[in-house]
């Protein structure tokens, strides 16, 4: 009897284990691979930040301000400010300012920013000030592209760099000390009108245009909210119908942005930065059969000047005769072969084996592209 109970228990345990395996397989099938949130793939049309800019003065510098003889606009700005406070500078007096600097102030006005909110600003010198460390930014209006004032900036400037110099001309500089930031240094004075609260369809603009990704976003929204809710307008835009009530649109759009979507495969692309020697090769890059020979020519020039002395009791002069030694050497060329359908790992391994530098790799990739063996877009930045 006891043995039968044990066998029944074993059969039940095996059955539960099988059910667990089936459920895990089902969950693994339904779970999208490499899925991203829609909020990471697209932005809502009309919801954007706006650039602000202003001109002002930073005062309280320790003798590191603008030299007014070379930057007269700093003096003009200070005189105009003093006039507003009832102080008139005589016409024949030119103040020699050392503790003031003319600066530009820039900021990003985030979407849905309301009057009274605080935003960060960036302050940068436009004159010849050596440093604005420890300065105080005077009240400055920040204007948008339409000329209207959207924020007012004022506060202490935080500078991450430092510079020091001596009378002999020696100087030390770490980072940049002629620009800094004012955290929460501007107060929003005017809100920017947004089309989000208006009725009608909302547009989801993809961060990277892709027809496959746009189609999958529309399909995912339709599966969740019913057919006809979303439609792909083109490779970079998805149109979504929403409720007319603004409060409902906020919650509804937040739920849509949380939907998981598997984006389309990234295009086969090789990005080359010729200035820094940086090369980035995408995963989908493929190379057809090709043979590449790699070699380098080194030219060495050494100067060994010779001194020619005149003979004894002669009227000659001592002269220096230049003597150049030029040598040309060519390292042994390396040749490696790419087979059909070569992937990223094979390309990197082959190039590393021959000891090619980033500049050599750029030349190899350009030659492969010209030969038609590199099936990828070659982007040079």
């Amino acid at each position: 009897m006891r043995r039968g109970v044990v066998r029944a228990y074993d059969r039940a345990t095996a059955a539960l284990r099988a059910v667990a395996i089936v459920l895990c397989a089902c969950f693994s099938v339904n779970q999208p691979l490499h899925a991203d949130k829609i909020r990471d793939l697209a932005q809502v049309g009309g919801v954007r930040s706006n650039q602000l800019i202003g001109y002002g003065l930073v005062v309280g510098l320790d003798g590191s301000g603008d030299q007014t003889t070379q930057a007269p606009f700093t003096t003009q700005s200070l005189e105009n400010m003093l006039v507003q406070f009832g102080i008139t500078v005589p016409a024949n007096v030119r103040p020699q300012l050392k503790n003031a600097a003319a600066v530009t102030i820039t900021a990003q006005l985030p979407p849905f920013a309301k009057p009274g909110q605080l935003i960060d600003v960036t302050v940068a010198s436009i004159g010849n000030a050596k440093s604005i460390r420890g300065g105080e930014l005077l009240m400055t209006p920040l204007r948008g592209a339409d000329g209207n004032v959207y924020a007012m900036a004022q506060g202490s400037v935080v500078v991450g760099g430092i510079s020091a110099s001596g009378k002999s001309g020696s100087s030390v500089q770490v980072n940049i000390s002629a620009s800094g930031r004012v955290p929460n240094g501007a107060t929003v004075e005017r809100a920017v009108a947004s089309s989000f609260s208006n009725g009608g369809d909302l547009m989801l603009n993809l961060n990277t245009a892709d027809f496959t990704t746009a189609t999958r976003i529309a399909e995912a929204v339709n599966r969740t909210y019913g057919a006809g809710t979303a439609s792909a307008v083109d490779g970079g835009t998805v149109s979504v119908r929403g409720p007319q009530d603004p409060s409902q649109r906020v919650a509804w759009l937040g739920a849509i942005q949380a939907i998981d979507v598997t984006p389309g495969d990234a295009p086969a692309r090789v990005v080359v930065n010729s200035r820094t020697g940086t090369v980035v090769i995408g995963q989908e890059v493929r190379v057809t059969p090709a043979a590449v020979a790699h070699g380098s020519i080194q030219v060495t020039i050494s100067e060994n000047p010779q001194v020619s002395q005149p003979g004894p009791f002669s009227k000659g002069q001592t002269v220096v005769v230049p003597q150049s030694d030029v040598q040309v050497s060519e390292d042994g060329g390396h040749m490696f072969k790419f087979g059909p359908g070569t992937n990223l790992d094979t390309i990197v391994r082959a190039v590393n084996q021959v000891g090619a530098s980033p500049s050599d790799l750029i030349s190899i990739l350009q030659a492969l592209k010209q030969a038609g063996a590199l099936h990828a877009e070659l982007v040079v930045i």
Side-chain angles (χ1 to χ4, degrees):
M1 182 67 181
R2 184 177 180 182
R3 184 177 300 175
V5 173
V6 173
R7 291 180 179 176
Y9 176 77
D10 293 339
R11 288 195 296 268
T13 303
L16 291 176
R17 188 178 303 166
V19 172
I21 294 174
V22 172
L23 290 177
C24 291
C26 293
F27 283 125
S28 62
V29 171
N30 294 331
Q31 186 70 18
L33 299 176
H34 307 290
D36 295 331
K37 303 291 185 182
I38 290 182
R39 68 168 60 93
D40 300 327
L41 298 175
Q43 298 180 352
V44 182
V47 179
R48 55 180 293 268
S49 60
N50 293 273
Q51 291 76 25
L52 303 179
I53 189 172
Y55 169 83
L57 289 173
V58 171
V59 297
L61 304 178
D62 188 14
S64 60
D66 291 338
Q67 298 179 6
T68 53
T69 56
Q70 301 176 359
F73 47 83
T74 304
T75 305
Q76 291 179 345
S77 301
L78 186 60
E79 291 177 353
N80 293 336
M81 184 192 70
L82 294 177
V83 169
Q84 298 179 6
F85 292 98
I87 301 175
T88 303
V89 179
N92 58 347
V93 175
R94 301 297 297 175
Q96 298 297 319
L97 306 177
K98 293 183 179 181
N99 298 336
V103 295
T104 57
I105 302 95
T106 57
Q108 293 282 342
L109 185 64
F112 309 120
K114 298 300 187 291
Q117 292 183 343
L118 301 177
I119 58 177
D120 297 344
V121 298
T122 301
V123 182
S125 171
I126 60 175
N128 52 10
K130 297 180 181 179
S131 174
I132 59 175
R133 172 182 289 271
E136 180 77 12
L137 174 65
L138 300 182
M139 186 172 60
T140 304
L142 302 182
R143 303 178 184 273
D146 55 0
N148 295 324
V149 176
Y150 288 90
M152 296 294 293
Q154 182 172 283
S156 300
V157 182
V158 178
V159 177
I162 187 173
S163 61
S165 60
K167 295 183 179 180
S168 63
S170 302
S171 62
V172 177
Q173 180 172 341
V174 179
N175 297 331
I176 301 298
S177 58
S179 63
R181 290 180 64 84
V182 183
N184 294 331
T187 304
V188 178
E189 301 293 339
R190 176 183 299 185
V192 178
S194 175
S195 60
F196 177 78
S197 59
N198 300 334
D201 297 345
L202 289 176
M203 297 296 178
L204 300 179
N205 300 323
L206 272 67
N207 298 330
T208 302
D210 184 75
F211 290 99
T212 302
T213 304
T215 302
R216 291 178 180 176
I217 291 178
E219 293 175 350
V221 174
N222 290 332
R223 282 196 306 266
T224 306
Y225 295 97
T229 304
S231 61
V233 178
D234 50 36
T237 306
V238 177
S239 176
V240 183
R241 292 190 306 174
Q244 297 297 327
D245 188 358
S247 60
Q248 295 180 1
R249 289 165 67 90
V250 172
W252 169 81
L253 183 58
I256 284 182
Q257 288 185 331
I259 297 176
D260 290 327
V261 175
T262 302
D265 296 334
R269 183 174 297 167
V270 177
V271 181
V272 173
N273 191 331
S274 58
R275 295 183 297 274
T276 61
T278 303
V279 180
V280 179
I281 305 176
Q283 181 179 1
E284 300 298 328
V285 174
R286 293 293 182 270
V287 177
T288 54
V292 178
H294 169 72
S296 59
I297 298 177
Q298 297 181 354
V299 179
T300 303
I301 302 177
S302 59
E303 296 290 343
N304 298 315
Q306 301 293 329
V307 178
S308 177
Q309 295 284 355
F313 306 103
S314 64
K315 297 182 180 181
Q317 297 180 352
T318 302
V319 296
V320 178
V321 180
Q323 182 177 356
S324 300
D325 183 14
V326 180
Q327 297 180 357
V328 179
S329 62
E330 182 175 4
D331 295 339
H334 303 276
M335 176 171 287
F336 49 93
K337 179 182 178 181
F338 292 130
T342 301
N343 55 13
L344 172 61
D345 294 336
T346 306
I347 297 175
V348 175
R349 191 181 304 111
V351 173
N352 288 337
Q353 286 178 354
V354 300
S357 62
S359 58
D360 296 330
L361 179 57
I362 294 174
S363 301
I364 292 173
L365 292 174
Q366 290 177 343
L368 288 173
K369 183 65 176 179
Q370 293 295 327
L374 180 63
H375 294 272
E377 180 185 1
L378 185 60
V379 180
V380 180
I381 59 177

